Amino acid sequence: MVLLQTTAHAKINIGLVIPYKREDGLHEIRSVFVPIDFGDPMEIQIQTLPNGNGMDSRFVFQSENHLTGYRHSLFEAVSERGDLTKNILTKTFAALKPSLTKPLEIHVVLKKFLPPEGGIGGGSSNAGVFLRQILPHTNLSGPEQILFAKSIGADVPFFLQDSACFVSGIGEILEPISIAKGFGIMAIPPFGLSTGSMYAGLQKSLQKPYGSEVWKSLAEDLIRSLHVGDWAYLQNRLENEFEKIAFQTQPLLKELKLGFFESGADFASLSGSGSCLYGIYKTEGKRNEALPNVSLKFPEMEFRTFSF
């Protein structure tokens, strides 16, 4: 029996460009994905059953819902207290069963802190951490594992990695990169932004997919700035294209971004398609000094510190 205590980490996007809509209806992206130390604690227990094959495997899921506001209800709807068929871990297990090389009994206990509709990974991170433990028990090759993760969700392949990555394709083309340590504050608004609605708002034209190379349009000075942590230089050079839609939909987010800068942030951005927005500070000390200021100015927000 294997018992693992781990954390499904959130991610932030440093820059996010959507060049076009593909013929398959999905959107091509270019971004830097960065894993952060805020996440959902997960306990995964794997035990081999004495008889049968992979299709005889069993999955047991338990969760603790630590979300607040409307997001508490969102997760309840897909927890074991709601409709488990809509839970991403249950769906991942069901899809993976035919590829298991032996019968397994898998128990997962999830403590849910990452907000749905936040743009920071959430369910994709849960699925990625789950897959990292289960994929070694399958007959899937390395490339097949990435394709399988992609079939679960566009961001899931990233959560099979350990490092920050240049990301392209729909999220499955990854190039690990080295970036400096950073200290940030994450704002979790009391509202979400629908990913589908956000993409629709961009109104990207339909194009044929071309060879989706890694985000080579980044100039050497931008790569160097990521490596050394010159966040101020990156501001206005690596932008999240979803902000123009998010700030129209929820003007409070634009005020929040300005509030981060007023508190001393060197870089601030919407993460993914939102609604979470973060600020990065030069030092841990500056970050900690800023926290009470932004918390006081935006009392409707939930704030969490993070590092990477």
Side-chain angles (χ1 to χ4, degrees):
M1 184 183 78
V2 176
L3 178 61
L4 178 74
Q5 304 279 353
T6 187
T7 300
H9 294 287
K11 59 86 177 165
I12 58 171
N13 297 76
I14 300 181
L16 176 56
V17 175
I18 301 89
Y20 60 86
K21 185 176 182 179
R22 297 155 36 132
E23 286 187 318
D24 59 11
L26 301 174
H27 286 80
E28 192 79 8
I29 70 167
R30 304 286 185 273
S31 187
V32 178
F33 281 24
V34 181
I36 63 175
D37 63 356
F38 165 43
D40 292 335
M42 290 179 69
E43 178 182 290
I44 303 174
Q45 179 179 306
I46 305 171
Q47 187 167 0
T48 302
L49 297 173
N51 299 304
N53 56 41
M55 292 302 291
D56 296 309
S57 298
R58 300 193 293 262
F59 179 62
V60 179
F61 176 67
Q62 297 173 263
S63 66
E64 297 176 13
N65 188 347
H66 294 272
L67 299 168
T68 59
Y70 85 99
R71 287 187 170 99
H72 185 92
S73 299
L74 278 184
F75 181 72
E76 283 297 292
V78 298
S79 74
E80 74 277 19
R81 296 168 294 276
D83 186 352
L84 262 178
T85 63
K86 295 181 180 178
N87 180 274
I88 193 168
L89 296 181
T90 301
K91 292 192 289 187
T92 300
F93 172 75
L96 201 58
K97 275 178 76 172
S99 301
L100 292 172
T101 57
K102 54 189 175 184
L104 300 175
E105 182 165 296
I106 304 166
H107 290 248
V108 171
V109 179
L110 171 70
K111 296 181 181 180
K112 192 65 185 172
F113 290 94
L114 295 179
E117 298 184 350
I120 58 175
S124 295
S125 180
N126 297 160
V129 168
F130 179 72
L131 282 174
R132 290 177 74 159
Q133 304 309 313
I134 310 303
L135 284 172
H137 300 281
T138 70
N139 55 18
L140 299 178
S141 66
E144 289 171 335
Q145 292 179 8
I146 296 296
L147 286 174
F148 179 85
K150 176 185 171 184
S151 75
I152 300 299
D155 290 347
V156 177
F158 169 71
F159 291 105
L160 300 180
Q161 317 299 315
D162 288 316
S163 71
C165 292
F166 288 126
V167 180
S168 58
I170 66 166
E172 85 284 11
I173 302 175
L174 307 163
E175 179 180 321
I177 60 169
S178 173
I179 67 170
K181 188 168 182 60
F183 304 95
I185 298 174
M186 177 73 66
I188 303 174
F191 51 81
L193 293 173
S194 161
T195 301
S197 297
M198 293 295 286
Y199 272 109
L202 290 174
Q203 298 182 332
K204 290 294 176 176
S205 60
L206 188 68
Q207 295 183 29
K208 290 184 178 181
Y210 54 78
S212 185
E213 297 181 3
V214 180
W215 201 13
K216 296 299 186 183
S217 58
L218 271 181
E220 286 300 314
D221 54 350
L222 297 183
I223 295 173
R224 185 167 52 252
S225 296
L226 284 164
H227 185 69
V228 302
D230 188 352
W231 312 116
Y233 180 82
L234 294 172
Q235 190 62 48
N236 299 323
R237 291 179 172 87
L238 288 181
E239 297 182 310
N240 184 335
E241 196 170 350
F242 281 115
E243 287 188 359
K244 60 187 178 185
I245 308 297
F247 291 171
Q248 291 172 2
T249 306
Q250 294 286 354
L252 182 61
L253 290 175
K254 185 174 184 179
E255 294 178 31
L256 176 63
K257 183 174 181 178
L258 292 173
F260 273 132
F261 287 128
E262 289 171 358
S263 73
D266 287 339
F267 187 93
S269 175
L270 192 73
S271 187
S273 57
S275 61
C276 289
L277 197 146
Y278 66 89
I280 298 177
Y281 297 79
K282 191 176 297 292
T283 65
E284 185 176 11
K286 288 185 179 297
R287 187 269 312 273
N288 293 344
E289 287 176 12
L291 181 60
N293 296 328
V294 293
S295 298
L296 187 63
K297 188 169 184 178
F298 299 94
E300 60 275 85
M301 300 283 176
E302 178 185 352
F303 290 96
R304 288 184 176 269
T305 59
F306 67 87
S307 60
F308 55 84

